[in-house]
C-alpha cells in the first residue's frame, strides 16, 4: 500500500504518520497490490480531523473522523473503513482481493474488528423522471436551492452540454460533479 500524508495547518511529529501507516496498513489485506491511501490531518477548534481516502482499482473508499486525540481519530477512521467493507462485503468481494474477507488475523487485531452484520439490500423506493435542462452552474445552484434539495442534475451549458451535478457540502459550500468525457 502506498501512503500519501497531508498536514493541513498543523505540524505533526513523524510518530503520528508512522502510527497511521501501521494502522491503515492493516487494511491492506482487503485490497489488491496497487492500492493508495491518502491521509489528510487537520486540527480545527480543538478537534483532530483525519480524512482517509483509499483507492484500489476502480474502488474508492473515503471516511472522515474527528475526535479530541489524533491517535483515536486514526483508529476511528480505520474502524469506519472496516465497517463499510464488512457492510458491503458480498458486493465488494468481486472487486477486491479474492481472499479479502477470510479470517486470518492476529489475536491483538481481533478486538478492533467490527462485528459482522447482515447486509442490507439496495432498495429503490421511488423513481422520478424529469427533463434534464441545459443551464449554467449558477442557475443549477439557484434551482437546487429553490426546490430545497441537496443536489441537482443538469446539462452544463458552459461545458458543451455535458451532464453535471451540483450538491450542497456539509461545510456550507457547493460542489460540482462533471462528466469526464
Amino acid at each position: 500500500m502506498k501512503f500519501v500524508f497531508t498536514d493541513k495547518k498543523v505540524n505533526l511529529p513523524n510518530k503520528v504518520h508512522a502510527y497511521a501507516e501501521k494502522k491503515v496498513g492493516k487494511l491492506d489485506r482487503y485490497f489488491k497490490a496497487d492500492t493508495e491511501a491518502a491521509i489528510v490531518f487537520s486540527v480545527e477548534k480543538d478537534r483532530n480531523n483525519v480524512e482517509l481516502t483509499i483507492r484500489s482499482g476502480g474502488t474508492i473508499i473515503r471516511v472522515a473522523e474527528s475526535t479530541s486525540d489524533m491517535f483515536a481519530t486514526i483508529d476511528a477512521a480505520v474502524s469506519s473503513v472496516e465497517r463499510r467493507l464488512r457492510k458491503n462485503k458480498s458486493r465488494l468481494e468481486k472487486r477486491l482481493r479474492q481472499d479479502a474477507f477470510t479470517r486470518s488475523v492476529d489475536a491483538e487485531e481481533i478486538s478492533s474488528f467490527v462485528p459482522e452484520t447482515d447486509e442490507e439490500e439496495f432498495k429503490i423506493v421511488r423513481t422520478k423522471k424529469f427533463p434534464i435542462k441545459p443551464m449554467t452552474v449558477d442557475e443549477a445552484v439557484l434551482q437546487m436551492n429553490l426546490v430545497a434539495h441537496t443536489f441537482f442534475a443538469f446539462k452544463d451549458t458552459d461545458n458543451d452540454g455535458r451532464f453535471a451535478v451540483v450538491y450542497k457540502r456539509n461545510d456550507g459550500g457547493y460542489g460540482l460533479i462533471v462528466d469526464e468525457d
Side-chain angles (χ1 to χ4, degrees):
M1 186 176 283
K2 180 182 163 196
F3 294 93
V4 177
F5 297 105
T6 305
D7 297 346
K8 283 187 177 177
K9 302 178 188 174
V10 65
N11 289 326
L12 295 173
N14 288 337
K15 68 179 185 177
V16 173
H17 290 191
Y19 183 80
E21 191 169 330
K22 176 184 168 195
K23 289 294 188 173
V24 174
K26 290 181 181 181
L27 297 173
D28 196 30
R29 69 176 170 266
Y30 294 110
F31 302 102
K32 296 176 183 164
D34 62 340
T35 304
E36 179 181 298
I39 306 168
V40 179
F41 301 99
S42 62
V43 177
E44 294 176 9
K45 298 182 182 177
D46 298 329
R47 301 293 291 174
N48 294 290
N49 304 318
V50 170
E51 293 176 22
L52 171 60
T53 305
I54 299 175
R55 288 179 168 77
S56 178
T59 305
I60 299 173
I61 300 170
R62 182 184 176 281
V63 298
E65 292 292 337
S66 177
T67 66
S68 59
D69 177 51
M70 191 60 79
F71 294 103
T73 306
I74 294 167
D75 291 340
V78 170
S79 293
S80 292
V81 169
E82 280 188 332
R83 192 176 315 110
R84 283 194 190 170
L85 289 170
R86 294 202 178 280
K87 185 175 181 183
N88 296 291
K89 175 178 161 180
S90 64
R91 291 182 196 96
L92 288 169
E93 280 178 329
K94 296 175 190 97
R95 297 177 79 179
L96 301 178
R97 273 193 9 211
Q98 294 301 91
D99 60 345
F101 292 97
T102 57
R103 288 211 178 236
S104 60
V105 297
D106 299 337
E108 67 183 41
E109 293 183 42
I110 291 175
S111 63
S112 72
F113 269 43
V114 177
E116 292 194 27
T117 58
D118 290 336
E119 191 172 300
E120 59 202 49
E121 287 187 34
F122 294 137
K123 186 176 178 183
I124 306 295
V125 295
R126 183 176 180 191
T127 301
K128 281 184 162 182
K129 292 184 181 182
F130 64 94
I132 298 178
K133 297 181 180 176
M135 59 183 68
T136 67
V137 173
D138 291 337
E139 291 171 324
V141 170
L142 176 64
Q143 282 293 312
M144 177 183 67
N145 289 334
L146 289 174
V147 295
H149 286 177
T150 55
F151 69 94
F152 190 82
F154 66 103
K155 292 181 182 176
D156 190 356
T157 57
D158 297 334
N159 200 0
D160 298 327
R162 291 189 178 149
F163 179 79
V165 176
V166 291
Y167 62 95
K168 184 125 173 107
R169 295 176 46 90
N170 290 337
D171 64 7
Y174 295 95
L176 177 65
I177 300 171
V178 294
D179 186 13
E180 271 186 359
D181 295 5

